[in-house]
Amino acid sequence: MVFLLRQKDAPQTIRSEFFRYLRQIFLILSLIFLIGTTFYFGTVHQMTEEKQQLFLLNNFYSQLTEEHQQLYHYVLKKENSIYQSLRSGKASLDSYISELYQLKIDTLFMREVDDLSGLLDHYDLQIRLIQQAVSQKEDAPSLNQLFYASNRLYIRMENTYQNLYHLLVQYHQSHEELLSRNRRIFFSLLCLDLVCCIFYIILCVKNMESNIVKPIQTLTDTAKNMDLDNLEDTDISSSAVTSNDEIKILLGVFENMTRRLKSQMEQRMEYMNAQLKLKEQELTISKMSSQLRHSQLKNLQMQINPHFLFNTLNMISHSAYMENDFSTVRLLKTTASLLRYTLDYSNKAVTLEHEIEMLGNYISLQEERFGDRIHFKFYLDECFHQVLIPNLILQPLVENSIVHGVGMYIDGGEITIRTIYDSQNHRGIIRITDNGEGILPEKLSSVTEQMKSSEEPTGKVGLSNVYLRLQLFFNGKADIQIESVPKKQTDISIMIPVEEKVLCLNLSWLKPRDSWELLSTEKIFTKLSP
């Protein structure tokens, strides 16, 4: 118990006090647990031994009954296999008798075991006589007389078994009464120990409250009464406590804290003022960044591919030379419409419906240029066509499909424009598909990486230009995906967010439109379900 005592020379800390009380409580609880566990396992062991004694006696009687039944069958059938079973059964009975001798219950019990052993020997002798009579093929009356003699021995052994069983039960009952009395005494002592342990825990808690909690509470009250405006006037001399070394250290730290707190508060105020000025500067920079991004969007929208205009005007001049005046007028009208659209909406958002109509004008010019070499098809789901998008985003993608896809085909070129509304994700999909040369996987990865790079595209309205304009217009919620199978097909899909308020479920798309009258009969307009 030496380790339970507090060392006088050791420093009195909160940790040492707490662990000293904890060790004492743990030792007491461990001692109670050890005693209780020992008593419990001792009781279980005693009960197990009593059950095994009863099982041993019952097994002996079961084996004896089976032995007598086999003897009866042997007298009737006279089979040697039954006799061999009788000999093995006798060995089992002898082993049970040996185990009964080891019980040593009392003198009367051992005397009964001796009688049972002697009767068993006479019974075995009677079995041998029956075997001799069977081997000599004596008549049935002689065998019956020998069996009746063995049956009388069996009845006597059965009576002896009953006496042993009653003696063993009486012994267990007396032992159970003693065990019950010891159990009551044990539980009484255990309850007394628990009560003492509870009182000791209460005493430990009071000591901890006196030595630890009260000094800390006194210091807490002093801290609550502190005036932040007059920290120098705070008096903590009344909170001095000498019961614990750590409390003394805590008081010294508290005194230093009160002297430094005011200077830290002043520094904090200066820091907050600096942070406020920094926030104002960040807000100004954010406004400038927004204006710069708006200016960048306008600049990107005003980029036009001069190569297309040159080819268009060149084709019109040839048409004017080789065709009649009506075809030339129609081509000029279409080109003028495209130029007007480019100039009027260069810095404005347009509806997807308007963009597709202008795309139709562009495609009609390409049909004049390529003839039957390229066929254009439309599959349109117009329920979201009123959504606003940047202008001139579809024409560059169709131009890419012509230049890099099917432009070199002599025959069989096909470009399909689809619009699909994804109701589950609330977005619209614009997909341009061509059956051209396709893109190799390593080239496709490079094209996608270049398209989504943060560098500003220069010069022409290509994939990078369209992607950047969509990102700026939809605040990063739009996307472009490219899928390609070399020598077979290329898909360019534009995904844009669509709010439900712009959805239109009427059937106005069935009415003919003037802008579509410019498209050739090769185009297919199909209304898809949203």
Side-chain angles (χ1 to χ4, degrees), residues 142-205:
S142 299
L143 288 175
N144 290 336
Q145 185 178 0
L146 291 173
F147 178 75
Y148 290 148
S150 64
N151 189 55
R152 285 192 295 272
L153 291 173
Y154 169 75
I155 293 173
R156 290 180 61 185
M157 286 190 292
E158 189 177 29
N159 293 332
T160 305
Y161 160 77
Q162 295 292 338
N163 295 335
L164 287 173
Y165 185 84
H166 288 302
L167 289 173
L168 188 60
V169 170
Q170 290 177 0
Y171 173 77
H172 289 169
Q173 289 178 350
S174 62
H175 193 267
E176 178 64 23
E177 292 177 359
L178 179 61
L179 187 63
S180 178
R181 184 182 63 183
N182 293 338
R183 190 183 297 112
R184 288 194 297 270
I185 294 174
F186 170 77
F187 280 114
S188 300
L189 293 176
L190 184 62
C191 291
L192 181 61
D193 291 339
L194 288 175
V195 171
C196 294
C197 181
I198 292 173
F199 278 112
Y200 182 76
I201 292 174
I202 294 174
L203 179 62
C204 291
V205 171

Side-chain angles (χ1 to χ4, degrees), residues 52-96:
Q52 290 177 352
Q53 292 171 2
L54 291 174
F55 288 151
L56 176 62
L57 196 58
N58 289 332
N59 291 337
F60 172 81
Y61 178 73
S62 299
Q63 185 65 37
L64 180 63
T65 303
E66 183 180 358
E67 186 81 356
H68 191 64
Q69 290 176 355
Q70 289 182 353
L71 180 60
Y72 174 75
H73 291 300
Y74 179 69
V75 172
L76 292 178
K77 299 180 180 180
K78 303 178 181 61
E79 294 177 358
N80 188 42
S81 60
I82 299 178
Y83 179 75
Q84 296 299 326
S85 178
L86 286 171
R87 301 315 303 161
S88 63
K90 175 61 172 57
S92 298
L93 291 173
D94 289 338
S95 66
Y96 287 133

